[in-house]
Amino acid sequence: MAQNIKLMILGGVRENGKNMYAVQVNDEIFIMDAGLKYPDSSLLGIDVVIPNLDFFKEYGDRIAGIFLTHGHADSIGALPYILRYYDIPVFGSKLTVELAKIAVQRENKHRKNDLFHIIDADTEIDFKNATVSFFSTTHSVPDSLGIDISTQEGEIVYTGDFKFDPSAKQGYKTDFVRLSEISKKGVLALLADSTNAEAVFPNDQQTSIEKYILETFQNHDGRIVAVAKASNINRVQEIFTAAYKTGRKVFLTGRDIGRIVYTAMKLGYLDVPKGLLAHGKDLKKIPADELVILETGRMGEPLKSLQKMATNRHRMIKIKKGDLVFIATTPSHSVETMVAQTSDMVYRAGGTVKQLGLDRHTSGHATGRDLQLLIDTLRPKFLVPVIGEYRLLEIQENLAIQAGMDRHNIFITKNGDTLALEKGRFYLSDPVPGEDIMIDGSGIGDVGNIVLRDREVLSDDGIFIAAVTIDRKKKKIVAKPLVSTRGFVYIKANHALMDGSVEVIKEAINNNFNNKRFDWTELKQDVRNAVEKYLYKETGRRPVVLPVVMEVNQNRHRAMVKRNAAKDNLKQTKDSHDKKHRPNKKVTIKLKKAES
């Protein structure tokens, strides 16, 4: 009997990051990666974005496990929020699991680690309806793995982030023999990384990158501020090696770098010569030409920390004349503007900037040529481009067609899509939750489009506050309305505008009293609408209008209730005291006197 197979796209397509995909085989679901993405400039105040957790609420009893390909935030970043509510087994390589534990414990300090299971490229896990195995891939973090889910209908392969590099060192090498073995079994569907699909030139070999970083350090006489992602273990190692060979010490700054570096050192993934790392207390003693500051920022975002250094807002480091800021990571297209702005700040502070990505073709992701080689090796029946923005998915589709695939066997999906296998072909089926969940502080999903819209308006036009006290029974305004504003106009220079708004508020309230049955919501809405129209007519801007309407009689009534309640309590206390300490006869006489 044919198996019921579905491919579910939970995140990671038509966007940069937030990778999470699911394969359902009969009544078992296998989750592949659980990542986050960093917000763009339109998501004001949002820390990170994760896939919709409603999927786990609906399908949690069928999920066999979460299988991780590597330890970057775009693959493990959503785990802290998932494991906060759901006890689901998590599988990954030794380093991946340790990085995942760091991420989980950062958000959930008391979370136990009994859900994590360490696997490697030789591991096979037999479940009721499928077998899950793994294969080594090349990426910027060691022990990266691809995932192979073996079903009766064929192999379903997910690459995770990968590239091909023959010069890769041990721990970073792709297992081509294993890929060939998977191909022989027959690949039903391939979910392949699209992030670098539009790259025209091949990635520089790792030995070339190492030589370039070393020459950069040798050719600068002053202090070097190296900027990289903490989880890019390969780049961190190259910076350590170059610093050691040029007689420099390295000071680590950033929220995550310390734990990640010491974890990688403990597991043997980082070679750190003795005495290389400097302590904060020794910074003033180390000559500038003997120091490298490695900045990794918060949650893998080093550019914001670099901006603080350039504007003298960083808690420890300030960019000064003679500093070289070496951006040792290749930024995505979505943050290129931010890189340019940051570089400008560095130059204003007296430093200079050098970007690895401008001088070398380097990426942790497959080029178009790599993707064609992968497709030619695995020969999948169906292809689902994943991990990338929309144009990248289409570019991979075109590359696959050039490699000989049938266009009708390639699916460009969106988050929430489900592809169901029926009679040997995949068709779009019932969707699954695929919307974004926005994280602001400790809140999960409590910021939606309405809140973001208000934040956008506040950032553009500010807020206008109108406070007024009314007497509802007498239908009149008790005191002149008070108006104030923040981020809208300078009050002292706009007296006419503020006085005019007061008259508009009075008119709106009087119209409401005369023409409508009293309702708090309607009254506030009338004030809001009237003020918004007036301010737009006078200024052409639309600030957030916040009406504050108070009722004088209501407060008086509440005060009377409180006073009466206090009198009753006092009387009851006195009666209780009298009954306890005096004869009943005296009490009775006293009460009669009080009544007369």
Side-chain angles (χ1 to χ4, degrees):
M1 183 178 178
Q3 289 183 317
N4 176 25
I5 294 178
K6 292 181 180 179
L7 306 179
M8 303 172 180
I9 311 299
L10 306 178
V13 298
R14 309 191 185 200
E15 61 185 348
N16 182 31
K18 196 162 69 68
N19 303 317
M20 188 159 76
Y21 313 94
V23 176
Q24 179 174 337
V25 184
N26 291 342
D27 60 348
E28 285 182 311
I29 295 177
F30 306 92
I31 306 290
M32 300 181 297
D33 281 341
L36 58 74
K37 72 175 179 180
Y38 297 108
D40 56 33
S41 58
S42 65
L43 299 180
L44 300 171
I46 300 302
D47 295 326
V48 296
V49 182
I50 64 172
N52 196 314
L53 300 185
D54 287 346
F55 178 85
F56 294 90
K57 187 185 299 183
E58 295 181 26
Y59 299 94
D61 58 336
R62 306 183 202 174
I63 296 176
I66 299 174
F67 302 86
L68 306 176
T69 59
H70 66 288
H72 286 166
D74 60 355
S75 289
I76 66 171
L79 275 179
Y81 310 102
I82 296 171
L83 299 185
R84 184 182 296 185
Y85 302 109
Y86 306 99
D87 290 335
I88 300 173
V90 179
F91 301 85
S93 67
K94 185 186 297 184
L95 180 60
T96 301
V97 164
E98 289 303 318
L99 295 178
K101 287 179 180 178
I102 291 174
V104 170
Q105 290 171 358
R106 182 172 55 226
E107 300 296 332
N108 311 310
K109 296 190 184 322
H110 304 294
R111 188 69 170 117
K112 295 181 180 179
N113 295 324
D114 55 354
L115 294 175
F116 291 94
H117 305 275
I118 296 175
I119 49 89
D120 57 30
D122 297 323
T123 302
E124 282 191 1
I125 307 173
D126 291 323
F127 291 92
K128 183 173 63 174
N129 300 298
T131 299
V132 181
S133 58
F134 309 88
F135 56 93
S136 297
T137 58
T138 301
H139 192 43
S140 57
V141 59
D143 274 5
S144 295
L145 300 171
I147 300 170
D148 174 31
I149 299 176
S150 182
T151 74
Q152 294 176 10
E153 310 300 322
E155 310 300 299
I156 299 174
V157 178
Y158 170 57
T159 63
D161 293 355
F162 87 103
K163 67 176 180 178
F164 292 147
D165 183 0
S167 70
K169 296 181 178 179
Q170 194 64 32
Y172 293 88
K173 287 183 175 293
T174 298
D175 190 345
F176 286 98
V177 174
R178 177 81 176 105
L179 288 176
S180 179
E181 292 173 353
I182 293 172
S183 175
K184 291 177 182 177
K185 296 179 183 179
V187 176
L188 173 67
L190 170 63
L191 285 73
D193 178 9
S194 308
T195 304
N196 200 33
E198 63 184 344
V200 177
F201 299 102
N203 287 319
D204 285 2
Q205 292 190 345
Q206 210 57 52
T207 51
S208 173
I209 302 299
E210 291 174 357
K211 183 179 179 182
Y212 171 83
I213 295 176
L214 178 60
E215 290 175 350
T216 298
F217 282 29
Q218 289 173 334
N219 295 333
H220 185 70
D221 295 330
R223 188 174 67 168
I224 297 175
V225 179
V227 179
K229 292 184 178 180
S231 55
N232 190 338
I233 303 297
N234 193 35
R235 189 72 72 241
V236 171
Q237 179 66 74
E238 290 163 350
I239 291 171
F240 283 174
T241 302
Y244 178 70
K245 289 182 177 180
T246 55
R248 296 174 181 265
K249 290 186 177 295
V250 179
F251 175 67
L252 306 176
T253 174
R255 184 173 178 179
D256 301 327
I257 184 66
R259 291 191 65 183
I260 290 176
V261 164
Y262 288 113
T263 297
M265 287 172 59
K266 182 178 69 175
L267 298 176
Y269 293 102
L270 267 178
D271 179 20
V272 184
K274 187 176 181 180
L276 178 70
L277 299 180
H279 299 285
K281 61 183 180 180
D282 300 324
L283 284 182
K284 294 182 179 180
K285 304 175 185 176
I286 302 173
D289 59 351
E290 296 179 10
L291 180 62
V292 175
I293 296 168
L294 179 54
E295 172 58 58
T296 61
R298 178 180 179 269
M299 298 181 74
E301 181 47 74
L303 292 177
K304 290 182 180 179
S305 295
L306 187 57
Q307 288 180 355
K308 291 181 180 180
M309 290 182 183
T311 54
N312 199 21
R313 294 182 294 117
H314 195 276
R315 61 188 180 89
M316 296 189 70
I317 308 298
K318 177 185 177 182
I319 300 295
K320 56 187 179 182
K321 189 173 182 179
D323 285 349
L324 170 66
V325 173
F326 178 51
I327 301 179
T329 183
T330 303
S332 64
H333 296 293
S334 61
V335 296
E336 284 181 347
T337 301
M338 186 177 181
V339 172
Q341 293 171 343
T342 305
S343 298
D344 191 69
M345 293 178 185
V346 171
Y347 278 102
R348 287 174 182 270
T352 56
V353 178
K354 189 169 186 177
Q355 293 187 49
L356 172 64
L358 295 181
D359 297 332
R360 292 290 184 273
H361 299 292
T362 174
S363 173
H365 303 269
T367 63
R369 187 71 61 86
D370 291 342
L371 287 168
Q372 289 182 320
L373 177 57
L374 176 72
I375 291 169
D376 190 52
T377 301
L378 292 178
R379 298 190 298 275
K381 185 176 180 181
F382 298 100
L383 173 67
V384 183
V386 294
I387 312 178
E389 297 167 348
Y390 183 81
R391 73 182 186 284
L392 301 172
L393 307 181
E394 285 225 346
I395 289 172
Q396 185 180 159
E397 178 186 33
N398 295 330
L399 290 167
I401 293 170
Q402 293 172 17
M405 283 199 69
D406 186 343
R407 182 184 296 272
H408 297 95
N409 291 345
I410 304 171
F411 296 90
I412 304 296
T413 57
K414 63 180 183 296
N415 292 337
D417 278 353
T418 296
L419 298 173
L421 186 67
E422 295 180 13
K423 298 180 180 179
R425 291 199 60 82
F426 280 105
Y427 299 91
L428 276 176
S429 182
D430 296 333
V432 293
E435 301 82 9
D436 288 345
I437 294 292
M438 288 166 278
I439 308 295
D440 184 3
S442 60
I444 300 178
D446 56 353
V447 176
N449 292 329
I450 295 176
V451 174
L452 286 176
R453 185 184 63 197
D454 287 344
R455 288 181 179 181
E456 185 176 358
V457 173
L458 285 168
S459 69
D460 289 339
D461 294 327
I463 186 172
F464 186 95
I465 303 170
V468 60
T469 303
I470 65 170
D471 188 325
R472 178 171 53 173
K473 292 182 179 180
K474 296 181 180 180
K475 290 189 175 182
K476 71 173 186 177
I477 299 173
V478 175
K480 179 183 176 181
L482 299 175
V483 293
S484 183
T485 178
R486 290 292 182 273
F488 174 52
V489 294
Y490 184 47
I491 296 177
K492 291 183 178 180
N494 291 273
H495 285 300
L497 178 68
M498 306 306 282
D499 292 341
S501 65
V502 169
E503 297 304 316
V504 169
I505 294 167
K506 289 180 179 179
E507 183 180 354
I509 292 175
N510 288 328
N511 286 339
N512 185 281
F513 283 156
N514 296 332
N515 302 315
K516 294 183 180 181
R517 184 178 177 181
F518 184 86
D519 180 88
W520 281 109
T521 303
E522 284 194 16
L523 178 62
K524 290 181 180 180
Q525 189 61 46
D526 287 349
V527 172
R528 184 182 293 111
N529 291 341
V531 174
E532 284 178 349
K533 290 178 182 178
Y534 170 74
L535 294 178
Y536 183 74
K537 179 182 177 182
E538 296 295 323
T539 67
R541 284 178 277 173
R542 299 183 186 275
V544 173
V545 176
L546 181 62
V548 180
V549 183
M550 298 167 285
E551 185 180 5
V552 65
N553 280 342
Q554 186 181 34
N555 293 335
R556 186 185 304 161
H557 173 71
R558 288 176 179 170
M560 289 176 62
V561 169
K562 288 183 179 179
R563 284 197 298 269
N564 292 336
K567 286 181 180 179
D568 291 341
N569 289 336
L570 182 62
K571 185 175 182 301
Q572 290 175 6
T573 303
K574 184 175 179 59
D575 291 347
S576 175
H577 181 274
D578 290 342
K579 288 180 181 179
K580 184 174 181 181
H581 298 284
R582 298 183 181 181
N584 288 338
K585 185 172 64 174
K586 290 184 179 180
V587 173
T588 304
I589 293 170
K590 188 173 183 179
L591 285 174
K592 284 183 178 181
K593 287 183 178 179
E595 288 173 359
S596 63

